[in-house]
Amino acid sequence: MGAFDTIIFDLGGVLIDWNPKYLYRDVFDGDEEKVDWFLNTICTYNWNMEHDAGRPLKVGTDLLIKEFPEYESWIRLYYDEWPRMLGGPISGTVAILKQLKQKETYNLLALTNWSNETFPVALERFEFLNDFEGIVVSGDENTRKPHKEIYEITLDRYRITPEKAVFIDDNIDNVEAANQMGITGIHFKNPDQLHSELNALGIKI
């Protein structure tokens, strides 16, 4: 089987194109400055990450409306219209996943920072998610990458030997956290780069 027997994929930014700008560009009539201001000031990355770590969407939404009542309607849209943030599959990476699946050589898993309330939308929309033998969703575990706990959960649940696993993520912090666990990390930039790095590790596609 070679040096590696398990490949773990992140989802958003690696296999699935997700971006809140897709929604708010419509909301703000293409005003990119206003979109950036809103997502950097009101519905921020860190606020969203709390829901990825298990906070109920209603709780987080109500907290933010209490802080910024004048923007209530725009804040509510974040999760009311959440499916509009999904841009579609990243086809080049999906092709790599499909080729690996056909080989039947590797355990294929996903480890994603994702709210357990919105993840069912992705499961329904993206057929290729059925190719994984298991998916660890941060919202189900009440922790998230890059915290050590979620890597430990993944390793334990699927009986993974860290040194025999490869982890692919577009967030360098998450990759470095995997490296610290003894997992070989690939910082994803695009499908061609991923293809090359997998080949370099002896994972031929």
Side-chain angles (χ1 to χ4, degrees):
M1 189 177 285
F4 298 103
D5 60 20
T6 301
I7 303 174
I8 308 167
F9 285 81
D10 174 37
L11 295 180
V14 173
L15 283 157
I16 296 170
D17 177 18
W18 174 85
N19 194 330
K21 288 186 176 184
Y22 295 148
L23 167 62
Y24 285 99
R25 280 172 183 152
D26 289 342
V27 171
F28 298 134
D29 298 320
D31 185 336
E32 202 71 23
E33 283 189 22
K34 197 166 187 179
V35 171
D36 287 342
W37 165 81
F38 185 76
L39 294 175
N40 290 329
T41 310
I42 311 299
C43 289
T44 64
Y45 174 83
N46 287 335
W47 171 76
N48 176 62
M49 289 291 277
E50 290 298 319
H51 307 112
D52 288 353
R55 181 171 68 184
L57 303 186
K58 184 181 186 307
V59 171
T61 299
D62 289 348
L63 281 171
L64 204 59
I65 288 169
K66 188 174 182 181
E67 187 176 355
F68 301 107
E70 66 272 34
Y71 303 124
E72 177 176 356
S73 61
W74 292 342
I75 292 168
R76 289 197 183 280
L77 286 174
Y78 196 98
Y79 290 114
D80 287 349
E81 299 291 334
W82 182 89
R84 291 166 64 186
M85 300 179 186
L86 288 172
I90 298 173
S91 58
T93 319
V94 174
I96 291 171
L97 174 65
K98 292 288 185 184
Q99 288 171 301
L100 290 168
K101 183 72 173 178
Q102 287 177 354
K103 281 180 170 289
E104 298 183 346
T105 305
Y106 303 99
N107 300 317
L108 300 175
L109 303 170
L111 171 56
T112 183
N113 281 352
W114 208 304
S115 163
N116 61 345
E117 293 180 67
T118 57
F119 192 65
V121 177
L123 280 176
E124 188 174 323
R125 187 173 297 191
F126 300 110
E127 169 275 331
F128 64 81
L129 293 177
N130 295 313
D131 291 339
F132 290 110
E133 290 162 45
I135 300 176
V136 177
V137 178
S138 61
D140 287 330
E141 310 301 337
N142 294 312
T143 185
R144 61 172 177 80
K145 299 175 290 186
H147 299 318
K148 182 180 180 181
E149 291 80 8
I150 201 161
Y151 298 91
E152 292 175 334
I153 288 166
T154 305
L155 294 171
D156 292 346
R157 184 170 299 164
Y158 297 102
R159 298 184 175 89
I160 300 164
T161 302
E163 291 75 19
K164 292 187 176 183
V166 175
F167 173 67
I168 302 155
D169 200 300
D170 63 319
N171 184 316
I172 188 63
D173 292 339
N174 299 341
V175 173
E176 289 175 350
N179 290 339
Q180 290 171 10
M181 300 292 294
I183 302 166
T184 297
I186 294 176
H187 183 205
F188 177 85
K189 298 180 180 67
N190 58 65
D192 288 341
Q193 166 256 348
L194 174 60
H195 189 283
S196 296
E197 294 209 29
L198 287 171
N199 279 337
L201 292 172
I203 300 168
K204 303 298 183 184
I205 300 168

